[in-house]
């Protein structure tokens, strides 16, 4: 649940702010209108049902008071804390969007095969510096929350056989790690791997979402121990060139982020936990709707009639 909610929150806040638009179906039954959650980067999002259940209970207790945006922010924070992560303060009073943002989601969500320059640029547009970007990327907002979740083979596969159309595996993968990844994702055939997760074939992406993947515990070499989901094992895996996604390993390709990797790998996770809490607080306040802006939806998937 923590992994799903972290990713859901990121995909909501990163596109037009924390306004619950990713949960909204504003198509009004028009099959020709695409909604935000149908955008390719959002096809494999999970956790909608958890937020809906929480929202139902909130409506019973205090009707029309707590927005879907606040519900998602608070549920994610509490889930992180329950999973062993840091507790961090969040403001409340967000209001919900009355429209979803399909095109913005297509263009604005970072991709698993982005290089570090592309990633830093997308985050800088939203006011995040290199360290804050590192905290968010390294905790898996892209796909499955790397430290506490699992990366699906639909995202690993493109590195294994036809990386970025080269017809070859990602050259940054060591032979041993490439073999391990292929064994874990043996269901990914070459045709699947040849297609980027950002391709327009959404049906194939949805089908592949249920495939077996890998966690960062698996990504560690035998010589590196692993502890809780919020410790430093992710960073040690990057130092050993064992990032599961290209975008992960790219954190070692720029001095600004490579130095942060070394800093976080050098202790028991305390430094990362502090910086992660600060980055999450900042993320949860991106372009929020308050006051007379937006609405408080009674059902997170249904616009106000």
């Amino acid at each position: 649940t923590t992994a799903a909610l972290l990713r859901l929150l990121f995909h909501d806040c990163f596109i037009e702010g924390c306004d619950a638009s990713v949960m909204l179906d504003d198509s009004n039954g028009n099959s020709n209108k695409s909604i935000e959650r149908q955008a390719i980067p959002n096809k494999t999002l999970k956790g909608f049902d958890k937020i809906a259940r929480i929202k139902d209970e909130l409506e019973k207790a205090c009707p029309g008071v707590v927005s879907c945006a606040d519900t998602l922010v608070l549920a994610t924070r509490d889930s992180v804390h329950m999973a062993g992560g840091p507790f961090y303060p969040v403001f409340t009073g967000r209001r919900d969007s009355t429209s979803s943002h399909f095109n913005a989601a297509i263009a604005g969500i970072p991709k698993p095969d982005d290089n570090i320059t592309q990633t830093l640029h997308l985050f800088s547009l939203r006011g995040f510096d290199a360290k804050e970007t590192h905290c968010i990327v390294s905790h898996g907002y892209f796909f499955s929350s790397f430290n506490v979740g699992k990366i699906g083979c639909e995202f690993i596969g493109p590195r294994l056989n036809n990386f970025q159309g080269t017809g070859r595996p990602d050259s940054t993968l060591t032979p041993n790690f490439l073999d391990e990844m292929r064994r874990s994702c043996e269901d990914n055939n070459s045709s699947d791997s040849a297609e980027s997760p950002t391709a327009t074939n959404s049906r194939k992406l949805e089908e592949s979402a249920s495939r077996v993947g890998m966690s960062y515990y698996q990504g560690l070499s035998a010589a590196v121990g692993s502890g809780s989901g919020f410790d430093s094992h992710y960073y040690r895996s990057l130092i050993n060139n064992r990032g599961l996604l290209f975008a992960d390993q790219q954190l070692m390709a720029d001095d600004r982020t490579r130095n942060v990797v070394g800093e976080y790998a050098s202790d028991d996770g305390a430094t990362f936990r502090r910086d992660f809490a600060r980055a999450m607080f900042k993320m949860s306040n991106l372009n929020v709707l308050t006051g007379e802006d937006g609405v408080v939806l009674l059902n997170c998937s249904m616009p106000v009639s």
Side-chain angles (χ1 to χ4, degrees):
T1 300
T2 304
L5 293 183
L6 276 168
R7 186 175 174 230
L8 186 59
L9 177 68
F10 171 66
H11 282 236
D12 182 44
C13 293
F14 212 68
I15 302 301
E16 305 297 333
C18 304
D19 59 4
S21 59
V22 73
M23 295 184 274
L24 183 64
D25 182 356
D26 59 342
S27 65
N28 295 313
N30 181 1
S31 60
N32 293 320
K33 176 178 171 54
S34 297
I35 61 175
E36 188 172 334
R37 65 190 292 178
Q38 292 173 335
I40 293 298
N42 294 337
K43 285 284 187 177
T44 53
L45 289 176
K46 299 177 182 179
F48 296 99
D49 58 326
K50 305 297 190 300
I51 300 303
R53 288 173 59 189
I54 295 169
K55 178 65 171 171
D56 285 345
E57 294 300 318
L58 286 167
E59 288 306 311
K60 293 174 186 176
C62 45
V65 175
V66 185
S67 68
C68 296
D70 271 357
T71 302
L72 177 56
V73 167
L74 289 164
T76 302
R77 189 274 306 276
D78 289 355
S79 183
V80 165
H81 187 55
M82 292 171 69
F87 183 89
Y88 52 90
V90 293
F91 291 127
T92 53
R94 296 168 192 78
R95 289 166 68 86
D96 301 322
S97 177
T98 56
S99 60
S100 65
H101 313 292
F102 175 81
N103 290 329
I106 289 287
I109 296 294
K111 302 174 182 62
D113 56 356
D114 280 350
N115 62 40
I116 190 60
T117 301
Q118 294 167 315
T119 299
L120 288 171
H121 174 67
L122 283 175
F123 277 86
S124 70
L125 293 176
R126 291 154 176 86
F128 291 95
D129 63 23
K131 177 170 279 193
E132 292 165 336
T133 299
H134 187 290
C135 280
I136 293 171
V137 171
S138 68
H139 227 73
Y141 288 110
F142 282 160
F143 301 108
S144 294
S145 203
F146 306 155
N147 281 351
V148 296
K150 179 176 285 190
I151 305 300
C153 288
E154 70 272 22
F155 302 117
I156 295 172
R159 301 185 73 189
L160 306 185
N161 296 290
N162 186 26
F163 182 64
Q164 297 183 343
T166 62
R168 300 179 60 82
D170 180 358
S171 61
T172 66
L173 290 171
T174 64
N176 288 343
F177 195 37
L178 175 61
D179 289 344
E180 290 178 39
M181 295 171 78
R182 282 177 167 163
R183 285 195 297 270
S184 292
C185 293
E186 60 188 358
D187 288 339
N188 264 18
N189 59 38
S190 59
S191 62
D192 286 343
S193 299
E195 189 167 79
S196 167
T198 59
T200 56
N201 191 341
S202 60
R203 180 187 60 79
K204 186 170 290 186
L205 183 61
E206 289 179 298
E207 289 174 353
S208 66
S210 62
R211 289 178 177 163
V212 174
M214 294 180 70
S215 73
Y216 267 93
Y217 292 110
Q218 290 174 270
L220 290 167
S221 66
V224 178
S226 62
S228 71
F230 285 83
D231 64 14
S232 57
H233 69 272
Y234 168 81
Y235 309 100
R236 287 176 280 167
S237 73
L238 296 185
I239 290 172
N240 287 315
N241 200 35
R242 297 174 69 85
L244 291 179
L245 298 181
F246 178 74
D248 289 337
Q249 198 58 50
Q250 278 286 292
L251 291 172
M252 294 293 290
D254 186 286
D255 287 342
R256 291 168 292 178
T257 49
R258 181 168 55 249
N259 292 338
V260 179
V261 171
E263 180 182 356
Y264 290 161
S266 65
D267 65 14
D268 60 358
T271 304
F272 168 74
R273 291 164 66 92
R274 179 201 66 204
D275 292 345
F276 171 74
R278 292 173 178 172
M280 284 297 296
F281 177 78
K282 184 172 181 175
M283 172 67 69
S284 72
N285 291 320
L286 278 182
N287 299 328
V288 298
L289 301 173
T290 60
E292 297 300 315
D293 295 327
V295 298
V296 174
L297 293 175
L298 304 183
N299 182 313
C300 297
S301 65
M302 297 179 62
V304 176
S305 57

